[in-house]
Amino acid sequence: MSTPHLASGPDGPDALRPLLDTVLDALRAGSRARGGPLPAGGPDAVARQVRDAAGDLLPETGDPDALRTLVTVLAAGAADPAHPRCTAHLHGPPLAVATAADLAATVLNPSLDSWDQAPAASELETLVTGVLAREAGAADALVTTGGTESNLLAVLLAREARGGSLRVIHGANAHHSLPRAAWLLGLPEPVVVPAPAGTLDPAALDAALTRVPGPHLVTATAGTTDAGLIDPLPDIAARCAAHGARLHIDAAYGGTLLFSRRHRALLTGLHAADTVALDLHKLGWQPAAAGILTVKNAADLAPLRHHADYLNADDDTAAGLPDLLGRSLRTTRRPDILKIAVTLRTLGRSGLAALIDHVCALAREFAALVDHHPRFELYAPPTISTVLFRPTGTPDGTLAAVRRALLTQGHAVLGRARIDGRLWLKATFLNPAIRSDDLTALLTLVEGHTPR
């Protein structure tokens, strides 16, 4: 039998070129077949289409057309984050230049668990994490798969710095990964502080820090999942300093506001944190995954040090080979840093700021449309790029059914959030290609599907 072509090596580019044409043609065909932000028909219809296209996934004899077939059905059955009516989640369309860089990383396939597998990638990661750490007022940063891993690492580092009796204190608005991290690490159940306006209440935090025996890890949020709100970071940082508590800020959504001169003041107080979670696959337009955890005190990373002779033998390290094993809980680790580096260098601070400022402006424009519409209710002006809204007078059950109808018909992808005991539709604007008429069309579509 002939050996299948490899993607890397001197002949890799020639082998890839026709396959890339196949993939691009299949993506275009699948997108046209879908025709909207989401495939129509709901879960059963999509499952049937995938099963029919996949056929026998381990045939006796291979199918040379499998790439075209499966990419086409995947694209036809995708939720397209680049479609103007796909606004449900913190999952934006990736930049073309970042996606191209990610292809290069995939082709070269280095693993950042030892220098001999990733000589250039390990140095590039050192450079980029240094830049991002300084941006957040930190000494060092690790690459993660996103906010969930970053939050887990932050709690782990706090436990190792302060001891196994550490009490995690977070707002009722915190991401679900934080109490889960405490559970995974065998810590006491976290103390939940009220967030009456969607943000952590500093006075209630102060009371909890006074009442609950330490040591403490306080976690604040800069960009909540439900409403995109930012906790009062300076006040929280001051309460932590007064009580000697460690502070972690989950800025997976809002952290990249640091790049915007117009919006970075929203993150005042971030630099006081011991650790900060950032996600560049959210408001940074990277293909997933692209998470960062910044660390103010580099010595806090010492507990991650780990020895495996085949990866970081003592004599190799003494001879000058970088020890990469303590840079993650993972062993095999792809070079996600390449796409981030390419994006930072290609767009620069001003280019990233322009994208951030634009999607935030889109959110304000949509909120104004809602606010001025007699049949809609706005939850609050957007802090970042998330807008919560609902048709006036619509019961929660009806509202949930409207959202599901839009999903199953393939017309729009809107999120949902329950705040103050009420259900709201959620639109998160991460697509800089959306236009004003797209915003009007989205609101009109929801109005047309809401029974009166």
Side-chain angles (χ1 to χ4, degrees):
M1 61 169 278
S2 60
T3 301
H5 294 295
L6 300 178
S8 54
D11 299 326
D14 291 333
L16 271 174
R17 197 173 304 278
L19 296 175
L20 292 180
D21 286 339
T22 297
V23 167
L24 295 174
D25 289 344
L27 288 171
R28 184 177 294 109
S31 178
R32 287 175 176 167
R34 177 180 6 94
L38 201 72
D44 290 343
V46 173
R48 186 166 55 251
Q49 291 161 9
V50 173
R51 286 196 299 267
D52 290 347
D56 183 357
L57 283 172
L58 189 60
E60 186 63 35
T61 302
D63 176 9
D65 206 35
L67 178 64
R68 182 184 303 276
T69 300
L70 293 179
V71 172
T72 300
V73 75
L74 188 71
D80 181 6
H83 194 284
R85 295 196 304 276
C86 190
T87 63
H89 300 287
L90 292 167
H91 173 212
L95 294 168
V97 70
T99 305
D102 209 32
L103 171 63
T106 300
V107 167
L108 295 169
N109 206 28
S111 177
L112 281 111
D113 51 318
S114 65
W115 183 87
D116 59 346
Q117 299 177 80
S122 62
E123 180 61 22
L124 187 62
E125 182 173 277
T126 298
L127 295 173
V128 176
T129 52
V131 168
L132 295 174
R134 288 190 294 274
E135 199 69 24
D140 203 350
L142 304 178
V143 178
T144 71
T145 53
T148 295
E149 184 185 352
S150 293
N151 287 340
L152 175 64
L153 274 170
V155 178
L156 171 64
L157 295 179
R159 185 193 70 179
E160 295 305 295
R162 297 294 178 90
S165 60
L166 181 78
R167 297 303 303 270
V168 176
I169 301 177
H170 64 73
N173 60 341
H175 192 264
H176 62 83
S177 62
L178 283 160
R180 197 176 195 197
W183 168 70
L184 283 167
L185 294 169
L187 294 173
E189 186 173 346
V191 177
V192 180
V193 175
T199 57
L200 189 152
D201 179 0
L205 172 62
D206 194 80
L209 287 168
T210 302
R211 181 183 75 254
V212 178
H216 304 114
L217 170 66
V218 172
T219 70
T221 308
T224 58
T225 305
D226 277 347
L229 302 177
I230 297 175
D231 286 338
L233 303 180
D235 204 352
I236 292 170
R239 307 293 174 117
C240 289
H243 289 271
R246 191 176 171 97
L247 174 60
H248 169 64
I249 297 178
D250 177 2
Y253 176 14
T256 52
L257 295 176
L258 286 169
F259 296 122
S260 167
R261 289 183 176 87
R262 183 176 302 173
H263 292 97
R264 67 178 293 132
L266 291 169
L267 297 178
T268 299
L270 187 86
H271 289 63
D274 295 281
T275 50
V276 176
L278 308 170
D279 274 8
L280 281 89
H281 55 244
K282 292 183 170 70
L283 203 60
W285 297 278
Q286 299 301 292
I292 297 288
L293 177 72
T294 72
V295 181
K296 181 172 285 292
N297 183 357
D300 284 351
L301 296 176
L304 295 181
R305 291 175 188 155
H306 186 66
H307 182 77
D309 195 67
Y310 75 104
L311 294 174
N312 59 350
D314 291 339
D315 56 322
D316 280 347
T317 303
L321 295 186
D323 180 356
L324 307 183
L325 203 53
R327 303 292 299 176
S328 178
L329 291 176
R330 293 171 284 149
T331 303
T332 301
R333 190 161 60 84
R334 72 188 308 272
D336 290 314
I337 205 66
L338 176 61
K339 61 199 175 193
I340 299 174
V342 167
T343 300
L344 296 178
R345 180 74 183 269
T346 301
L347 271 67
R349 185 184 298 277
S350 62
L352 283 165
L355 290 176
I356 292 165
D357 294 347
H358 182 61
V359 295
C360 291
L362 284 172
R364 292 194 300 272
E365 184 179 351
F366 185 72
L369 287 175
V370 171
D371 201 29
H372 294 132
H373 197 296
R375 293 186 178 176
F376 283 92
E377 179 182 354
L378 178 69
Y379 173 71
T383 300
I384 307 177
S385 65
T386 295
V387 180
L388 299 184
F389 68 106
R390 52 178 290 135
T392 304
T394 303
D396 283 359
T398 302
L399 186 62
V402 167
R403 174 181 171 271
R404 286 191 294 272
L406 291 169
L407 288 175
T408 56
Q409 293 166 15
H411 292 325
V413 191
L414 287 165
R416 55 183 287 165
R418 186 169 295 279
I419 296 182
D420 298 334
R422 302 176 71 198
L423 187 65
W424 298 82
L425 295 176
K426 178 174 69 170
T428 300
F429 297 97
L430 297 177
N431 180 358
I434 289 177
R435 303 167 307 194
S436 293
D437 56 346
D438 294 321
L439 301 176
T440 303
L442 179 60
L443 198 59
T444 301
L445 186 65
V446 175
E447 182 182 14
H449 278 72
T450 304
R452 292 289 168 190

